[in-house]
């Protein structure tokens, strides 16, 4: 590896939170060698894969909690490996970020000790929406189309089963939560429509 091979400017992103809004912001800009691969990157445990890109950068402060922006596109980091003594090979999936929002509903008790629903503030956050499968069920006298996606979020975003999530203006219900990964959470979400 020659220093001149690092000839593509990329932005290292970090997730920032201000009030009730999370977003990817530029942490720093750096130079990288960029290699696009033909193999798919399985960045999600339950969703389909995405295009793989390997960014070789000088050793610096970067973890799988970060992301990369290159040529206006977002890259989800899936592996960081040492390359010699001076470089990191960062494997990433090219993904498309959707702006999402969720309003958590909490309950409290009033002075008569009756439960009262209280809406908390709406949290907006970036996430990756990837396809899982499409189901079709014939019901009498109508048909129902159920679309299931996987919503991959930064680790700090915690959703609950049955939360209604607005993904780019469309409502989905959280059905299954996969939260054991150290760097991300994955939620199976569905949208059911009568046909």
């Amino acid at each position: 590896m020659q220093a001149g091979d690092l000839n593509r400017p990329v932005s290292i992103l970090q997730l920032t939170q201000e009030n009730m809004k999370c977003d990817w912001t530029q942490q720093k800009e750096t130079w990288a060698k960029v290699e696009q691969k033909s193999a798919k990157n399985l960045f999600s445990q339950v969703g389909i894969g995405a295009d793989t890109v390997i960014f070789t950068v000088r050793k610096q402060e970067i973890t799988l909690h970060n992301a990369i922006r290159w040529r206006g596109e977002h890259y989800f980091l899936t592996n960081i490996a040492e390359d010699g003594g001076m470089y990191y090979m960062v494997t990433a999936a090219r993904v498309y970020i959707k702006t999402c929002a969720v309003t958590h509903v909490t309950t409290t008790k009033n002075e008569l000790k009756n439960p009262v629903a209280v809406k908390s503030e709406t949290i907006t956050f970036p996430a990756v929406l990837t396809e899982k499968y499409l189901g079709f069920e014939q019901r009498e006298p109508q048909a129902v189309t159920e679309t299931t996606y996987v919503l991959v979020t930064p680790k700090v975003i915690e959703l609950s089963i049955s939360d209604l999530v607005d993904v780019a203006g469309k409502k989905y219900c959280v059905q299954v939560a996969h939260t054991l990964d150290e760097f991300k959470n994955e939620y199976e979400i569905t949208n059911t429509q009568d046909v």
Side-chain angles (χ1 to χ4, degrees), residues 25-66:
T25 57
Q26 182 172 308
Q27 177 179 321
K28 63 181 153 185
E29 197 167 277
T30 191
W31 293 93
K33 175 182 175 186
V34 180
E35 300 171 80
Q36 299 183 21
K37 300 293 184 182
S38 58
K40 290 293 184 187
N41 186 317
L42 299 176
F43 71 97
S44 168
Q45 297 295 319
V46 290
I48 62 173
D51 294 336
T52 301
V53 174
I54 297 183
F55 297 94
T56 304
V57 297
R58 288 191 188 280
K59 277 190 172 179
Q60 56 193 283
E61 187 178 320
I62 186 170
T63 71
L64 295 182
H65 288 292
N66 294 106

mmCIF file of all heavy atoms in Angstrom, residues 25-66:
data_model
loop_
_atom_site.group_PDB
_atom_site.id
_atom_site.type_symbol
_atom_site.label_atom_id
_atom_site.label_comp_id
_atom_site.label_asym_id
_atom_site.label_seq_id
_atom_site.Cartn_x
_atom_site.Cartn_y
_atom_site.Cartn_z
ATOM 1 N N THR A 25 -23.728 13.028 11.595
ATOM 2 C CA THR A 25 -23.008 14.266 11.316
ATOM 3 C C THR A 25 -21.543 13.929 11.046
ATOM 4 O O THR A 25 -21.021 12.911 11.515
ATOM 5 C CB THR A 25 -23.089 15.264 12.489
ATOM 6 O OG1 THR A 25 -22.575 14.635 13.679
ATOM 7 C CG2 THR A 25 -24.524 15.706 12.727
ATOM 8 N N GLN A 26 -20.884 14.811 10.302
ATOM 9 C CA GLN A 26 -19.487 14.566 9.957
ATOM 10 C C GLN A 26 -18.594 14.763 11.173
ATOM 11 O O GLN A 26 -18.611 15.797 11.805
ATOM 12 C CB GLN A 26 -19.048 15.508 8.841
ATOM 13 C CG GLN A 26 -17.612 15.272 8.411
ATOM 14 C CD GLN A 26 -17.240 16.077 7.186
ATOM 15 O OE1 GLN A 26 -17.930 16.037 6.186
ATOM 16 N NE2 GLN A 26 -16.142 16.815 7.280
ATOM 17 N N GLN A 27 -17.831 13.735 11.488
ATOM 18 C CA GLN A 27 -16.843 13.797 12.574
ATOM 19 C C GLN A 27 -15.535 14.354 12.038
ATOM 20 O O GLN A 27 -14.892 15.176 12.662
ATOM 21 C CB GLN A 27 -16.635 12.396 13.145
ATOM 22 C CG GLN A 27 -15.592 12.286 14.233
ATOM 23 C CD GLN A 27 -15.488 10.853 14.748
ATOM 24 O OE1 GLN A 27 -16.483 10.159 14.892
ATOM 25 N NE2 GLN A 27 -14.268 10.409 14.995
ATOM 26 N N LYS A 28 -15.146 13.870 10.846
ATOM 27 C CA LYS A 28 -13.931 14.362 10.189
ATOM 28 C C LYS A 28 -13.923 13.886 8.750
ATOM 29 O O LYS A 28 -14.691 13.020 8.357
ATOM 30 C CB LYS A 28 -12.692 13.874 10.919
ATOM 31 C CG LYS A 28 -12.510 12.382 10.940
ATOM 32 C CD LYS A 28 -11.274 12.002 11.705
ATOM 33 C CE LYS A 28 -11.428 10.614 12.287
ATOM 34 N NZ LYS A 28 -10.340 10.241 13.124
ATOM 35 N N GLU A 29 -13.028 14.485 7.974
ATOM 36 C CA GLU A 29 -12.824 14.049 6.597
ATOM 37 C C GLU A 29 -11.443 13.407 6.526
ATOM 38 O O GLU A 29 -10.509 13.842 7.201
ATOM 39 C CB GLU A 29 -12.926 15.237 5.643
ATOM 40 C CG GLU A 29 -13.126 14.806 4.200
ATOM 41 C CD GLU A 29 -13.540 15.960 3.308
ATOM 42 O OE1 GLU A 29 -14.743 16.263 3.276
ATOM 43 O OE2 GLU A 29 -12.643 16.535 2.662
ATOM 44 N N THR A 30 -11.335 12.359 5.722
ATOM 45 C CA THR A 30 -10.062 11.660 5.593
ATOM 46 C C THR A 30 -9.925 11.154 4.161
ATOM 47 O O THR A 30 -10.860 11.227 3.377
ATOM 48 C CB THR A 30 -9.959 10.503 6.618
ATOM 49 O OG1 THR A 30 -8.623 10.007 6.644
ATOM 50 C CG2 THR A 30 -10.913 9.377 6.299
ATOM 51 N N TRP A 31 -8.739 10.657 3.838
ATOM 52 C CA TRP A 31 -8.481 10.112 2.508
ATOM 53 C C TRP A 31 -8.513 8.597 2.580
ATOM 54 O O TRP A 31 -8.059 7.999 3.559
ATOM 55 C CB TRP A 31 -7.130 10.595 1.988
ATOM 56 C CG TRP A 31 -7.127 12.067 1.718
ATOM 57 C CD1 TRP A 31 -6.748 13.057 2.582
ATOM 58 C CD2 TRP A 31 -7.565 12.715 0.525
ATOM 59 N NE1 TRP A 31 -6.922 14.283 1.987
ATOM 60 C CE2 TRP A 31 -7.417 14.108 0.718
ATOM 61 C CE3 TRP A 31 -8.055 12.269 -0.694
ATOM 62 C CZ2 TRP A 31 -7.741 15.043 -0.242
ATOM 63 C CZ3 TRP A 31 -8.376 13.196 -1.667
ATOM 64 C CH2 TRP A 31 -8.222 14.572 -1.441
ATOM 65 N N ALA A 32 -9.029 7.974 1.516
ATOM 66 C CA ALA A 32 -9.176 6.519 1.516
ATOM 67 C C ALA A 32 -8.900 5.942 0.141
ATOM 68 O O ALA A 32 -9.048 6.617 -0.881
ATOM 69 C CB ALA A 32 -10.587 6.140 1.946
ATOM 70 N N LYS A 33 -8.522 4.686 0.143
ATOM 71 C CA LYS A 33 -8.513 3.881 -1.075
ATOM 72 C C LYS A 33 -9.864 3.171 -1.077
ATOM 73 O O LYS A 33 -10.278 2.613 -0.057
ATOM 74 C CB LYS A 33 -7.377 2.855 -1.043
ATOM 75 C CG LYS A 33 -7.373 1.908 -2.216
ATOM 76 C CD LYS A 33 -6.248 0.899 -2.079
ATOM 77 C CE LYS A 33 -6.318 -0.135 -3.193
ATOM 78 N NZ LYS A 33 -5.311 -1.195 -2.991
ATOM 79 N N VAL A 34 -10.567 3.211 -2.201
ATOM 80 C CA VAL A 34 -11.923 2.662 -2.263
ATOM 81 C C VAL A 34 -11.966 1.514 -3.261
ATOM 82 O O VAL A 34 -11.567 1.671 -4.410
ATOM 83 C CB VAL A 34 -12.938 3.760 -2.666
ATOM 84 C CG1 VAL A 34 -14.342 3.191 -2.731
ATOM 85 C CG2 VAL A 34 -12.879 4.934 -1.697
ATOM 86 N N GLU A 35 -12.437 0.349 -2.799
ATOM 87 C CA GLU A 35 -12.579 -0.831 -3.655
ATOM 88 C C GLU A 35 -14.015 -1.317 -3.585
ATOM 89 O O GLU A 35 -14.487 -1.674 -2.499
ATOM 90 C CB GLU A 35 -11.659 -1.955 -3.192
ATOM 91 C CG GLU A 35 -10.185 -1.616 -3.210
ATOM 92 C CD GLU A 35 -9.384 -2.718 -2.539
ATOM 93 O OE1 GLU A 35 -9.131 -3.742 -3.201
ATOM 94 O OE2 GLU A 35 -9.038 -2.545 -1.357
ATOM 95 N N GLN A 36 -14.690 -1.337 -4.723
ATOM 96 C CA GLN A 36 -16.050 -1.860 -4.771
ATOM 97 C C GLN A 36 -15.981 -3.347 -5.078
ATOM 98 O O GLN A 36 -15.252 -3.772 -5.967
ATOM 99 C CB GLN A 36 -16.871 -1.106 -5.809
ATOM 100 C CG GLN A 36 -16.973 0.373 -5.463
ATOM 101 C CD GLN A 36 -17.834 1.144 -6.442
ATOM 102 O OE1 GLN A 36 -18.662 0.584 -7.139
ATOM 103 N NE2 GLN A 36 -17.628 2.449 -6.504
ATOM 104 N N LYS A 37 -16.727 -4.139 -4.326
ATOM 105 C CA LYS A 37 -16.704 -5.597 -4.461
ATOM 106 C C LYS A 37 -18.012 -6.086 -5.071
ATOM 107 O O LYS A 37 -19.050 -5.451 -4.936
ATOM 108 C CB LYS A 37 -16.504 -6.262 -3.090
ATOM 109 C CG LYS A 37 -15.197 -5.868 -2.410
ATOM 110 C CD LYS A 37 -14.029 -6.418 -3.175
ATOM 111 C CE LYS A 37 -12.715 -6.122 -2.481
ATOM 112 N NZ LYS A 37 -11.569 -6.608 -3.212
ATOM 113 N N SER A 38 -17.964 -7.251 -5.705
ATOM 114 C CA SER A 38 -19.174 -7.808 -6.314
ATOM 115 C C SER A 38 -20.013 -8.589 -5.308
ATOM 116 O O SER A 38 -21.215 -8.741 -5.482
ATOM 117 C CB SER A 38 -18.810 -8.702 -7.496
ATOM 118 O OG SER A 38 -17.951 -9.741 -7.061
ATOM 119 N N ALA A 39 -19.396 -9.081 -4.241
ATOM 120 C CA ALA A 39 -20.135 -9.854 -3.235
ATOM 121 C C ALA A 39 -21.042 -8.939 -2.424
ATOM 122 O O ALA A 39 -20.706 -7.781 -2.166
ATOM 123 C CB ALA A 39 -19.156 -10.574 -2.323
ATOM 124 N N LYS A 40 -22.185 -9.472 -2.019
ATOM 125 C CA LYS A 40 -23.114 -8.708 -1.185
ATOM 126 C C LYS A 40 -22.631 -8.702 0.260
ATOM 127 O O LYS A 40 -22.030 -9.655 0.745
ATOM 128 C CB LYS A 40 -24.524 -9.319 -1.242
ATOM 129 C CG LYS A 40 -25.207 -9.132 -2.570
ATOM 130 C CD LYS A 40 -25.517 -7.672 -2.831
ATOM 131 C CE LYS A 40 -26.282 -7.479 -4.111
ATOM 132 N NZ LYS A 40 -26.449 -6.085 -4.471
ATOM 133 N N ASN A 41 -22.906 -7.598 0.955
ATOM 134 C CA ASN A 41 -22.555 -7.441 2.357
ATOM 135 C C ASN A 41 -23.814 -7.717 3.172
ATOM 136 O O ASN A 41 -24.813 -7.006 3.052
ATOM 137 C CB ASN A 41 -22.064 -6.014 2.611
ATOM 138 C CG ASN A 41 -21.539 -5.820 4.008
ATOM 139 O OD1 ASN A 41 -22.117 -6.286 4.972
ATOM 140 N ND2 ASN A 41 -20.437 -5.104 4.124
ATOM 141 N N LEU A 42 -23.779 -8.750 4.002
ATOM 142 C CA LEU A 42 -24.929 -9.106 4.826
ATOM 143 C C LEU A 42 -24.865 -8.319 6.133
ATOM 144 O O LEU A 42 -24.592 -8.865 7.193
ATOM 145 C CB LEU A 42 -24.951 -10.611 5.077
ATOM 146 C CG LEU A 42 -25.059 -11.454 3.806
ATOM 147 C CD1 LEU A 42 -24.987 -12.941 4.127
ATOM 148 C CD2 LEU A 42 -26.310 -11.131 3.022
ATOM 149 N N PHE A 43 -25.119 -7.010 6.039
ATOM 150 C CA PHE A 43 -25.028 -6.131 7.205
ATOM 151 C C PHE A 43 -26.163 -6.375 8.190
ATOM 152 O O PHE A 43 -26.087 -5.996 9.340
ATOM 153 C CB PHE A 43 -25.018 -4.665 6.770
ATOM 154 C CG PHE A 43 -26.334 -4.172 6.238
ATOM 155 C CD1 PHE A 43 -27.194 -3.480 7.058
ATOM 156 C CD2 PHE A 43 -26.704 -4.416 4.928
ATOM 157 C CE1 PHE A 43 -28.415 -3.029 6.576
ATOM 158 C CE2 PHE A 43 -27.910 -3.968 4.438
ATOM 159 C CZ PHE A 43 -28.771 -3.280 5.263
ATOM 160 N N SER A 44 -27.230 -7.023 7.740
ATOM 161 C CA SER A 44 -28.378 -7.325 8.590
ATOM 162 C C SER A 44 -28.457 -8.828 8.799
ATOM 163 O O SER A 44 -28.230 -9.594 7.865
ATOM 164 C CB SER A 44 -29.660 -6.812 7.933
ATOM 165 O OG SER A 44 -30.796 -7.328 8.577
ATOM 166 N N GLN A 45 -28.800 -9.249 10.015
ATOM 167 C CA GLN A 45 -28.926 -10.681 10.300
ATOM 168 C C GLN A 45 -30.209 -11.271 9.709
ATOM 169 O O GLN A 45 -30.279 -12.457 9.457
ATOM 170 C CB GLN A 45 -28.907 -10.918 11.813
ATOM 171 C CG GLN A 45 -27.611 -10.520 12.490
ATOM 172 C CD GLN A 45 -26.438 -11.356 12.036
ATOM 173 O OE1 GLN A 45 -26.553 -12.555 11.863
ATOM 174 N NE2 GLN A 45 -25.301 -10.723 11.835
ATOM 175 N N VAL A 46 -31.231 -10.433 9.518
ATOM 176 C CA VAL A 46 -32.519 -10.951 9.057
ATOM 177 C C VAL A 46 -33.000 -10.317 7.757
ATOM 178 O O VAL A 46 -34.035 -10.707 7.229
ATOM 179 C CB VAL A 46 -33.606 -10.786 10.151
ATOM 180 C CG1 VAL A 46 -33.342 -11.722 11.304
ATOM 181 C CG2 VAL A 46 -33.681 -9.356 10.638
ATOM 182 N N GLY A 47 -32.260 -9.356 7.219
ATOM 183 C CA GLY A 47 -32.650 -8.704 5.966
ATOM 184 C C GLY A 47 -31.732 -9.129 4.834
ATOM 185 O O GLY A 47 -30.811 -9.920 5.014
ATOM 186 N N ILE A 48 -31.985 -8.587 3.646
ATOM 187 C CA ILE A 48 -31.155 -8.930 2.491
ATOM 188 C C ILE A 48 -29.882 -8.088 2.484
ATOM 189 O O ILE A 48 -29.788 -7.084 3.181
ATOM 190 C CB ILE A 48 -31.936 -8.758 1.176
ATOM 191 C CG1 ILE A 48 -32.356 -7.299 0.980
ATOM 192 C CG2 ILE A 48 -33.143 -9.673 1.132
ATOM 193 C CD1 ILE A 48 -32.974 -7.021 -0.376
ATOM 194 N N GLY A 49 -28.897 -8.497 1.699
ATOM 195 C CA GLY A 49 -27.603 -7.824 1.665
ATOM 196 C C GLY A 49 -27.589 -6.573 0.810
ATOM 197 O O GLY A 49 -28.556 -6.226 0.140
ATOM 198 N N ALA A 50 -26.450 -5.879 0.838
ATOM 199 C CA ALA A 50 -26.257 -4.639 0.089
ATOM 200 C C ALA A 50 -24.890 -4.687 -0.590
ATOM 201 O O ALA A 50 -24.067 -5.562 -0.314
ATOM 202 C CB ALA A 50 -26.344 -3.442 1.029
ATOM 203 N N ASP A 51 -24.628 -3.720 -1.469
ATOM 204 C CA ASP A 51 -23.337 -3.646 -2.151
ATOM 205 C C ASP A 51 -22.205 -3.448 -1.147
ATOM 206 O O ASP A 51 -22.341 -2.679 -0.199
ATOM 207 C CB ASP A 51 -23.328 -2.483 -3.150
ATOM 208 C CG ASP A 51 -24.306 -2.706 -4.299
ATOM 209 O OD1 ASP A 51 -24.643 -3.870 -4.581
ATOM 210 O OD2 ASP A 51 -24.729 -1.711 -4.910
ATOM 211 N N THR A 52 -21.090 -4.139 -1.388
ATOM 212 C CA THR A 52 -19.936 -4.076 -0.489
ATOM 213 C C THR A 52 -18.872 -3.130 -1.034
ATOM 214 O O THR A 52 -18.552 -3.165 -2.219
ATOM 215 C CB THR A 52 -19.301 -5.470 -0.322
ATOM 216 O OG1 THR A 52 -20.282 -6.363 0.211
ATOM 217 C CG2 THR A 52 -18.101 -5.427 0.612
ATOM 218 N N VAL A 53 -18.330 -2.300 -0.157
ATOM 219 C CA VAL A 53 -17.215 -1.421 -0.492
ATOM 220 C C VAL A 53 -16.181 -1.540 0.630
ATOM 221 O O VAL A 53 -16.542 -1.616 1.808
ATOM 222 C CB VAL A 53 -17.677 0.042 -0.646
ATOM 223 C CG1 VAL A 53 -16.492 0.966 -0.848
ATOM 224 C CG2 VAL A 53 -18.644 0.168 -1.810
ATOM 225 N N ILE A 54 -14.904 -1.580 0.269
ATOM 226 C CA ILE A 54 -13.837 -1.595 1.269
ATOM 227 C C ILE A 54 -13.079 -0.274 1.186
ATOM 228 O O ILE A 54 -12.587 0.110 0.119
ATOM 229 C CB ILE A 54 -12.881 -2.791 1.062
ATOM 230 C CG1 ILE A 54 -13.673 -4.086 1.256
ATOM 231 C CG2 ILE A 54 -11.706 -2.709 2.030
ATOM 232 C CD1 ILE A 54 -12.885 -5.345 1.171
ATOM 233 N N PHE A 55 -13.036 0.412 2.314
ATOM 234 C CA PHE A 55 -12.306 1.674 2.434
ATOM 235 C C PHE A 55 -11.031 1.389 3.211
ATOM 236 O O PHE A 55 -11.091 0.900 4.341
ATOM 237 C CB PHE A 55 -13.133 2.712 3.207
ATOM 238 C CG PHE A 55 -14.422 3.094 2.531
ATOM 239 C CD1 PHE A 55 -15.601 2.443 2.852
ATOM 240 C CD2 PHE A 55 -14.457 4.102 1.577
ATOM 241 C CE1 PHE A 55 -16.799 2.789 2.243
ATOM 242 C CE2 PHE A 55 -15.639 4.456 0.959
ATOM 243 C CZ PHE A 55 -16.817 3.799 1.291
ATOM 244 N N THR A 56 -9.875 1.671 2.613
ATOM 245 C CA THR A 56 -8.609 1.568 3.341
ATOM 246 C C THR A 56 -8.226 2.973 3.761
ATOM 247 O O THR A 56 -8.108 3.877 2.921
ATOM 248 C CB THR A 56 -7.514 0.939 2.471
ATOM 249 O OG1 THR A 56 -7.967 -0.345 2.008
ATOM 250 C CG2 THR A 56 -6.225 0.766 3.265
ATOM 251 N N VAL A 57 -8.062 3.166 5.083
ATOM 252 C CA VAL A 57 -7.741 4.485 5.640
ATOM 253 C C VAL A 57 -6.564 4.352 6.593
ATOM 254 O O VAL A 57 -6.260 3.264 7.069
ATOM 255 C CB VAL A 57 -8.954 5.096 6.398
ATOM 256 C CG1 VAL A 57 -10.118 5.336 5.461
ATOM 257 C CG2 VAL A 57 -9.376 4.214 7.573
ATOM 258 N N ARG A 58 -5.899 5.475 6.855
ATOM 259 C CA ARG A 58 -4.858 5.464 7.887
ATOM 260 C C ARG A 58 -5.508 5.145 9.225
ATOM 261 O O ARG A 58 -6.671 5.456 9.449
ATOM 262 C CB ARG A 58 -4.175 6.829 7.978
ATOM 263 C CG ARG A 58 -3.283 7.132 6.814
ATOM 264 C CD ARG A 58 -2.438 8.380 7.109
ATOM 265 N NE ARG A 58 -1.714 8.799 5.932
ATOM 266 C CZ ARG A 58 -0.581 8.246 5.508
ATOM 267 N NH1 ARG A 58 -0.047 7.250 6.175
ATOM 268 N NH2 ARG A 58 0.011 8.691 4.419
ATOM 269 N N LYS A 59 -4.746 4.534 10.110
ATOM 270 C CA LYS A 59 -5.268 4.235 11.451
ATOM 271 C C LYS A 59 -5.730 5.523 12.106
ATOM 272 O O LYS A 59 -5.016 6.524 12.086
ATOM 273 C CB LYS A 59 -4.198 3.566 12.307
ATOM 274 C CG LYS A 59 -4.089 2.088 12.096
ATOM 275 C CD LYS A 59 -3.198 1.490 13.154
ATOM 276 C CE LYS A 59 -3.221 -0.009 13.093
ATOM 277 N NZ LYS A 59 -2.348 -0.613 14.092
ATOM 278 N N GLN A 60 -6.913 5.483 12.655
ATOM 279 C CA GLN A 60 -7.500 6.644 13.312
ATOM 280 C C GLN A 60 -8.632 6.163 14.198
ATOM 281 O O GLN A 60 -8.959 4.974 14.212
ATOM 282 C CB GLN A 60 -8.017 7.632 12.274
ATOM 283 C CG GLN A 60 -9.014 7.035 11.303
ATOM 284 C CD GLN A 60 -9.267 7.937 10.129
ATOM 285 O OE1 GLN A 60 -9.993 8.903 10.269
ATOM 286 N NE2 GLN A 60 -8.654 7.648 8.985
ATOM 287 N N GLU A 61 -9.245 7.082 14.895
ATOM 288 C CA GLU A 61 -10.344 6.733 15.776
ATOM 289 C C GLU A 61 -11.595 6.454 14.936
ATOM 290 O O GLU A 61 -12.219 7.359 14.390
ATOM 291 C CB GLU A 61 -10.627 7.886 16.751
ATOM 292 C CG GLU A 61 -11.643 7.522 17.812
ATOM 293 C CD GLU A 61 -11.868 8.665 18.788
ATOM 294 O OE1 GLU A 61 -10.888 9.338 19.158
ATOM 295 O OE2 GLU A 61 -13.031 8.872 19.149
ATOM 296 N N ILE A 62 -11.923 5.171 14.797
ATOM 297 C CA ILE A 62 -13.110 4.751 14.049
ATOM 298 C C ILE A 62 -13.564 3.404 14.603
ATOM 299 O O ILE A 62 -12.733 2.538 14.889
ATOM 300 C CB ILE A 62 -12.824 4.682 12.526
ATOM 301 C CG1 ILE A 62 -14.117 4.391 11.756
ATOM 302 C CG2 ILE A 62 -11.744 3.693 12.200
ATOM 303 C CD1 ILE A 62 -13.985 4.536 10.257
ATOM 304 N N THR A 63 -14.878 3.256 14.804
ATOM 305 C CA THR A 63 -15.445 1.999 15.297
ATOM 306 C C THR A 63 -16.659 1.653 14.442
ATOM 307 O O THR A 63 -17.061 2.430 13.567
ATOM 308 C CB THR A 63 -15.902 2.112 16.773
ATOM 309 O OG1 THR A 63 -17.077 2.935 16.831
ATOM 310 C CG2 THR A 63 -14.800 2.697 17.662
ATOM 311 N N LEU A 64 -17.267 0.525 14.731
ATOM 312 C CA LEU A 64 -18.462 0.121 13.999
ATOM 313 C C LEU A 64 -19.681 0.964 14.393
ATOM 314 O O LEU A 64 -20.750 0.807 13.807
ATOM 315 C CB LEU A 64 -18.744 -1.368 14.206
ATOM 316 C CG LEU A 64 -17.678 -2.322 13.643
ATOM 317 C CD1 LEU A 64 -18.092 -3.767 13.862
ATOM 318 C CD2 LEU A 64 -17.421 -2.058 12.169
ATOM 319 N N HIS A 65 -19.533 1.860 15.359
ATOM 320 C CA HIS A 65 -20.601 2.816 15.684
ATOM 321 C C HIS A 65 -20.615 3.970 14.672
ATOM 322 O O HIS A 65 -21.585 4.718 14.606
ATOM 323 C CB HIS A 65 -20.426 3.388 17.090
ATOM 324 C CG HIS A 65 -20.726 2.397 18.178
ATOM 325 N ND1 HIS A 65 -21.997 1.924 18.424
ATOM 326 C CD2 HIS A 65 -19.926 1.802 19.086
ATOM 327 C CE1 HIS A 65 -21.961 1.076 19.429
ATOM 328 N NE2 HIS A 65 -20.720 0.982 19.850
ATOM 329 N N ASN A 66 -19.524 4.127 13.921
ATOM 330 C CA ASN A 66 -19.433 5.192 12.917
ATOM 331 C C ASN A 66 -20.063 4.748 11.600
ATOM 332 O O ASN A 66 -20.496 3.604 11.460
ATOM 333 C CB ASN A 66 -17.967 5.563 12.664
ATOM 334 C CG ASN A 66 -17.310 6.197 13.865
ATOM 335 O OD1 ASN A 66 -16.495 5.580 14.540
ATOM 336 N ND2 ASN A 66 -17.649 7.438 14.143
#
